Amino acid sequence: EQNIGCRLVPTHVPFPEGAPKIASVSAGFAHTLAVGRNEDKHKEGGLTYSWGFGYFAVLGHGQRKDVGAVNATSPTVVQLTPKGPELRCSKAVCGLIHSVALTATGLVYTWGMGSVRVCLRCSLCSVDSPSPHTEGMHSSVMVTACGAFTPSW
């Protein structure tokens, strides 16, 4: 298994064969998100990838292990359910131990520790797959960054 620990020098990150060019990247405490360019005019947004240490379900791969992490040593497509369709978005950002994505149609998805709190419900819950967030949302949203525990819309 490839070491996914801290790197002190720039390191090439290999994406799966056939992956689109990457439009944006966001780095969290110990995980990374990337959004591919949308090269299919029939679909909204680009594929979302995550990799790194998987504590508190920050990777969104539907595998939750709060005590031991389910890690991803290479970029893996984030899916809406463990065997469901992939998450296509226009922007994805990392928080300390949560992730937030904005779809091209304006839907916001959150996952990881405290992602339910981001949805105004609870600060100690973990969501292991992207969960739609509609509570308290305005009609127009633009995710710009995540703080340690909250996003900046």
Side-chain angles (χ1 to χ4, degrees):
E1 181 175 320
Q2 178 183 347
N3 179 356
I4 61 171
C6 296
R7 308 280 169 106
L8 299 177
V9 296
T11 303
H12 171 74
V13 177
F15 276 74
E17 189 173 327
K21 292 183 178 182
I22 299 304
S24 66
V25 175
S26 177
F29 176 70
H31 74 292
T32 304
L33 295 173
V35 176
R37 289 187 185 160
N38 182 9
E39 297 175 352
D40 184 344
K41 296 186 188 313
H42 297 94
K43 294 185 178 179
E44 296 281 338
L47 291 175
T48 306
Y49 297 87
S50 68
W51 67 98
F53 290 103
Y55 280 99
F56 307 112
V58 296
L59 301 179
H61 297 162
Q63 301 167 320
R64 181 169 170 211
K65 256 188 164 175
D66 291 343
V67 177
V70 177
N71 303 322
T73 58
S74 61
T76 304
V77 173
V78 177
Q79 296 176 303
L80 292 174
T81 61
K83 293 184 180 183
E86 62 272 332
L87 174 63
R88 300 185 75 84
C89 67
S90 58
K91 180 123 185 195
V93 292
C94 297
L96 179 66
I97 50 178
H98 68 285
S99 302
V100 178
L102 174 66
T103 69
T105 59
L107 293 175
V108 175
Y109 285 85
T110 61
W111 62 95
M113 178 62 115
S115 62
V116 179
R117 185 188 79 143
V118 171
C119 299
L120 309 173
R121 291 190 192 116
C122 166
S123 62
L124 301 176
C125 303
S126 283
V127 176
D128 58 1
S129 294
S131 176
H133 169 27
T134 56
E135 243 178 79
M137 299 300 293
H138 301 287
S139 60
S140 177
V141 175
M142 179 171 54
V143 176
T144 57
C146 270
F149 299 103
T150 57
S152 172
W153 323 99

